[in-house]
Amino acid sequence: MSNPTDEKISLPAEPEEMAAAFVDAFNSGNLQAMKEIFEPEAMRVISPGNYQAGKELWAASEETLAHRLPISLSVRHAYAVGDIALLIIDYVHEGEDPDGKHVRIEGTATDIVRRGADGVWRCVISNPSGTDRA
């Protein structure tokens, strides 16, 4: 189950700060913190042509957070034009599964983020598979 605490995270004031905000929210298991760094109409690409948005996205996110492996992120590239940015982010999920087996999953994500009127950058489209065709 996700962490029900009111633990606050630092919201990104620059596109490159999205990675640290995501790591803090994800690794804490705090669904509310995750919602704070995504726009309300955000979508997550599951595979080409398959995505989640709205209630489906948050239900899946809650399930993911309940069984999460810790994540680390490294921004490879950030390209901003005005209030929109493309992020290319390398990620590693690493830890033990429920059976105690060591697991390591890595890849490169592509995300679109947008700066809101409050100056905070939030994710609009999260594509964890990047350009992989999985």
Side-chain angles (χ1 to χ4, degrees):
M1 173 173 236
S2 62
N3 180 351
T5 68
D6 290 330
E7 181 179 333
K8 295 292 183 184
I9 61 166
S10 295
L11 298 175
E14 298 295 333
E16 298 85 352
E17 295 172 5
M18 178 59 72
F22 185 89
V23 166
D24 288 348
F26 186 89
N27 287 346
S28 75
N30 188 328
L31 183 61
Q32 184 56 43
M34 292 288 289
K35 288 181 176 182
E36 290 179 25
I37 60 172
F38 281 80
E39 290 201 354
E41 68 276 8
M43 71 182 312
R44 178 175 52 219
V45 178
I46 305 304
S47 61
N50 184 17
Y51 64 91
Q52 297 170 326
K55 291 179 183 178
E56 182 183 25
L57 169 63
W58 297 117
S61 295
E62 188 167 29
E63 179 68 21
T64 298
L65 288 174
H67 304 288
R68 72 191 179 285
L69 286 173
I71 193 169
S72 61
L73 301 175
S74 175
V75 177
R76 188 187 310 181
H77 301 288
Y79 303 106
V81 176
D83 293 336
I84 298 173
L86 167 66
L87 302 176
I88 311 297
I89 301 175
D90 296 317
Y91 66 86
V92 176
H93 285 280
E94 189 164 20
E96 291 186 3
D97 69 11
D99 297 326
K101 179 181 173 189
H102 183 262
V103 177
R104 181 180 171 94
I105 303 166
E106 56 186 288
T108 301
T110 55
D111 295 333
I112 305 295
V113 297
R114 177 170 44 205
R115 181 175 38 217
D118 61 358
V120 174
W121 289 82
R122 292 182 175 85
C123 189
V124 180
I125 301 172
S126 175
N127 184 11
S129 300
T131 57
D132 291 345
R133 297 195 184 271

